[in-house]
Every structure is written in structure tokens, then in C-alpha cells.
């Protein structure tokens, strides 16, 4: 039994198992309908409980489909539907009860500490479906998408342009595990999590953080960005948007990247803020495949968790 909380918690071979198993299952499915189960069903008879303290379109639906395709069933709960969310029960007590009802938990919450606290008392695996600190499921899906289109991510160059947020933190953790070169173009005020950067440097991660977006994008194989204001971001929104304006991914940024570079965004996007519609709807954009691959990457994650 394994939990999937931070990419940095996993060994390189476990992360590779997740990606390869996702690729294999995706290719084996052929033309099956969305809810039709795979040939082999490791979740048969098993249940996943999903708890959402924040809104979600992709994570909610792609996990539900992933569970169905692996032969299991899922129960989706919003924060205000359960005692833990309303503060009427401790995390410890909720964890003990849920361990008897389900085989695996997925949680999307603001506090990263809550996921770790939950995992201490659960007797079943837990998957981090996004916290303010990380979004590891998204990054695994992005690696799957990158490799599907461009081959092995090892030694490739990924550029992250914009806010140093939860997705960028998980991407930093992934860089040293998958051996890619990560260049982050971000204003100093909104740098990624300093503890994660420190750990990456200690792990000899090939990481450049610069406040020059063109330098970050230059010669990259993939340009990524995300919303400037994340869910629950308690900042002066107008000020942050003003500071991030020169980090918008537009034609000029994409021109600095390799001519065959791809553009990625985890979505949802604020068009004309962090990315122009011209780029998002352009030939280099792979955002819809990224969203679709959430199903497949998460199947790999679930399979690894219940191993
Ligand atoms: N990318 C992502 O996690 O999207 P949702 O917020 O819609 O789940
Ligand atoms: N950084 C964004 C990701 C949304 C999927 C957020 O946390 O809101």
C-alpha cells in the first residue's frame, strides 16, 4: 500500500512505473467507451472516496472515469457534506471511519499539512488531488502527455513561465526524478516554494530560476503556465496581475522556445492573462490532450497506490 502525496516521496522507478502503466493501459483500451472497464481491473469490488474542499472540473471527472475503467466505484464528497470539512470531527476520527468504508482516498484541500495528517491515521492509501503546495497528479499527467508527443522527457528542457505556484512546485520535484532541465521565468515576489527549491538544489536538479521570461523560454521543448491567481490565493489580485503582465505566454515567448515546442496549461485558464487565445488555440498547444490524459495518468497512480 502506497500514498501519493508529493512527487519527491517516490523513487524514480515508482514514478516510471506509473507513467509506463498509464501508457500501456491507454494503448490497450483501443476504442472502448469512457465508462467501459479495462481488460484487467485491479479496483474490481473496491471503492475510492474523493473529498473536494475546492472546486474542480478535470480532477473530479477524470478520477471518476479512472476508477470506473479500473473496475471500481467512487463516492464524491464536497467539504460541506462531511463532518471533517465543517470542523465537526477531527481528521484523525474521519480517517479511522473512512478506512473502513473505502479502499483508497483522494483529497483536494488547501492545507498540505492536512493531507499528511490524514495519511497518518488512514489505513488505506491517499492521493493528493491538489493543495496550496502541490499538484502532483497534474504533473504526472503532463509528463505522460509530453512523452506521448515528444518521447522520453529525460534531458529535455521545460520552461515554466508565470506564477511560482503549486503546479510549479510539483514540477520542480519532478525535474530531479525524471532528469529534465527546468527553467522557471517568474518575478522574485512570486518565486516557487523556497523549501522545495532548496531540496531540488540539494538533489542536483537542473534548475534555473530567473525573472527574465525570454531567458526561461529560450530553446525549451515545452512552455508551461498556469493561472496567476490560484484558488484561495490571498493576495492583492490587481497588483499580482500587474507584476505578472510581462510573463504572459504569447507569440513572443513561444518564438523564444524551439520551433517544435509544445504549449501546456493545466487549465482552467484565464485567457488573455497568463496566455493569449492565439497560443492556447494555436498549433503548438496540447492543452486538451493534457486534460484527457488526467484519466490515464491517474489510473497509473491508483494502480501504484494499491500495489
Ligand atoms: N487541472 C485541474 O486540476 O483542473 P480542475 O481544477 O478542474 O480539477
Ligand atoms: N494553480 C491552480 C491550479 C488549478 C488546477 C490552483 O491551485 O488554483
Amino acid at each position: 500500500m502506497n500514498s501519493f502525496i508529493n512527487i519527491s516521496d517516490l523513487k524514480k522507478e515508482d514514478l516510471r512505473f506509473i507513467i509506463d502503466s498509464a501508457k500501456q493501459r491507454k494503448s490497450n483500451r483501443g476504442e472502448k467507451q469512457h465508462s467501459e472497464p479495462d481488460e484487467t481491473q485491479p479496483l474490481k469490488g473496491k471503492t475510492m472516496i474523493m473529498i473536494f474542499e475546492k472546486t474542480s472540473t478535470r480532477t473530479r471527472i477524470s478520477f471518476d472515469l479512472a476508477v470506473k475503467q479500473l473496475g471500481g466505484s467512487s463516492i464524491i464528497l464536497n467539504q460541506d457534506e462531511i463532518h471533517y470539512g465543517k470542523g465537526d470531527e477531527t481528521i484523525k476520527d474521519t480517517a479511522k471511519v473512512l478506512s473502513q468504508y473505502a479502499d483508497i482516498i483522494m483529497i483536494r484541500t488547501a492545507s498540505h499539512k492536512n493531507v499528511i495528517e490524514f495519511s497518518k491515521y488512514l489505513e488505506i492509501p491517499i492521493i493528493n488531488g491538489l493543495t496550496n503546495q502541490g499538484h502532483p497528479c497534474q504533473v504526472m499527467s503532463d509528463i505522460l502527455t509530453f512523452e506521448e508527443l515528444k518521447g522520453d522527457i529525460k534531458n529535455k528542457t521545460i520552461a515554466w513561465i508565470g506564477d511560482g505556484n503549486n503546479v510549479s512546485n510539483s514540477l520542480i520535484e519532478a525535474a530531479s526524478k525524471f532528469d529534465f532541465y527546468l527553467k522557471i521565468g517568474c518575478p522574485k515576489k512570486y518565486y516557487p516554494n523556497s523549501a522545495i527549491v532548496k531540496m531540488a538544489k540539494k538533489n542536483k536538479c537542473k534548475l534555473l530560476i530567473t525573472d527574465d521570461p525570454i531567458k526561461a523560454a529560450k530553446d525549451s521543448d515545452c512552455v508551461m503556465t498556469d493561472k496567476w491567481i490560484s484558488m484561495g490565493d490571498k493576495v492583492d489580485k490587481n497588483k499580482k496581475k500587474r507584476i505578472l503582465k510581462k510573463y504572459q505566454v504569447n507569440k513572443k515567448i513561444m518564438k523564444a522556445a524551439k520551433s517544435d515546442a509544445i504549449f501546456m496549461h493545466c487549465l482552467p485558464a484565464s485567457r488573455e492573462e497568463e496566455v493569449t487565445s492565439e497560443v492556447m488555440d494555436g498549433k503548438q498547444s496540447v492543452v486538451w490532450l493534457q486534460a484527457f490524459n488526467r484519466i490515464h495518468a491517474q489510473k497509473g497512480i491508483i494502480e501504484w497506490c494499491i500495489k
Side-chain angles (χ1 to χ4, degrees):
M1 173 187 122
N2 299 300
S3 281
F4 186 78
I5 300 175
N6 304 296
I7 288 185
S8 58
D9 298 338
L10 276 73
K11 293 194 193 99
K12 286 184 181 183
E13 56 265 35
D14 292 329
L15 292 162
R16 184 41 67 191
F17 168 88
I18 290 171
I19 297 293
D20 289 349
S21 135
K23 282 181 189 167
Q24 192 62 56
R25 282 191 176 271
K26 185 176 177 186
S27 113
N28 287 352
R29 275 188 74 73
E31 298 300 308
K32 278 187 193 290
Q33 299 291 312
H34 297 305
S35 295
E36 252 184 282
D38 287 355
E39 294 298 319
T40 58
Q41 298 158 30
L43 271 189
K44 194 160 185 194
K46 297 189 192 293
T47 302
M48 172 183 261
I49 292 178
M50 291 187 242
I51 301 171
F52 285 92
E53 289 184 29
K54 292 181 173 193
T55 45
S56 165
T57 300
R58 281 143 286 267
T59 306
R60 180 183 298 253
I61 299 166
S62 59
F63 260 111
D64 192 36
L65 288 172
V67 168
K68 281 198 176 80
Q69 293 182 7
L70 293 175
S73 57
S74 54
I75 298 170
I76 305 178
L77 301 163
N78 290 325
Q79 179 187 23
D80 58 359
E81 291 170 326
I82 52 172
H83 292 286
Y84 149 67
K86 289 192 289 192
D88 292 346
E89 189 173 54
T90 62
I91 289 181
K92 179 178 170 180
D93 293 351
T94 302
K96 284 200 164 292
V97 173
L98 296 188
S99 298
Q100 302 179 96
Y101 291 154
D103 303 278
I104 185 161
I105 301 279
M106 198 285 305
I107 187 165
R108 167 169 286 195
T109 173
S111 162
H112 199 73
K113 276 196 206 121
N114 280 359
V115 183
I116 294 167
E117 175 88 351
F118 224 130
S119 74
K120 269 199 247 159
Y121 302 110
L122 278 172
E123 286 146 38
I124 55 177
I126 185 166
I127 297 176
N128 172 5
L130 181 145
T131 65
N132 289 356
Q133 186 180 305
H135 196 359
C137 293
Q138 180 67 50
V139 168
M140 292 302 282
S141 172
D142 295 347
I143 290 168
L144 174 66
T145 304
F146 183 93
E147 294 204 338
E148 195 174 310
L149 299 168
K150 314 282 288 176
D152 196 346
I153 199 164
K154 186 173 177 172
N155 294 328
K156 298 287 196 315
T157 303
I158 311 296
W160 175 270
I161 311 292
D163 188 26
N165 66 7
N166 46 5
V167 181
S168 73
N169 291 334
S170 293
L171 196 61
I172 295 172
E173 293 185 2
S176 52
K177 296 285 181 177
F178 286 92
D179 292 320
F180 58 84
Y181 183 25
L182 178 61
K183 298 200 286 176
I184 296 183
C186 173
K188 288 208 171 64
K189 193 168 168 54
Y190 303 115
Y191 265 19
N193 181 295
S194 56
I196 292 176
V197 170
K198 206 169 148 192
M199 184 164 51
K201 288 191 172 152
K202 205 173 129 203
N203 291 340
K204 308 232 168 338
C205 174
K206 291 175 275 179
L207 175 67
L208 169 81
I209 308 185
T210 166
D211 58 5
D212 179 348
I214 296 287
K215 192 171 166 192
K218 197 159 174 29
D219 296 327
S220 60
D221 297 284
C222 172
V223 176
M224 287 189 185
T225 191
D226 186 12
K227 266 186 189 295
W228 290 338
I229 312 292
S230 281
M231 292 181 276
D233 213 351
K234 289 182 191 65
V235 287
D236 178 337
K237 296 188 173 62
N238 290 333
K239 185 176 170 201
K240 190 170 182 185
K241 287 182 186 178
R242 250 192 337 269
I243 295 173
L244 279 159
K245 213 166 173 177
K246 74 168 187 169
Y247 297 84
Q248 180 190 65
V249 177
N250 49 29
K251 235 170 38 187
K252 193 171 148 209
I253 295 278
M254 289 309 292
K255 235 178 157 177
K258 285 186 182 157
S259 57
D260 62 349
I262 52 176
F263 167 72
M264 286 194 180
H265 190 312
C266 64
L267 304 181
S270 295
R271 287 171 179 257
E272 310 309 333
E273 288 190 1
E274 74 273 6
V275 60
T276 58
S277 277
E278 190 179 15
V279 169
M280 189 157 140
D281 297 327
K283 282 207 294 279
Q284 288 164 284
S285 172
V286 300
V287 299
W288 313 119
L289 179 63
Q290 265 180 282
F292 179 61
N293 274 342
R294 293 290 302 276
I295 304 169
H296 301 288
Q298 286 154 195
K299 284 166 74 178
I301 293 168
I302 294 168
E303 219 181 340
W304 176 76
C305 283
I306 59 168
K307 253 186 9 164

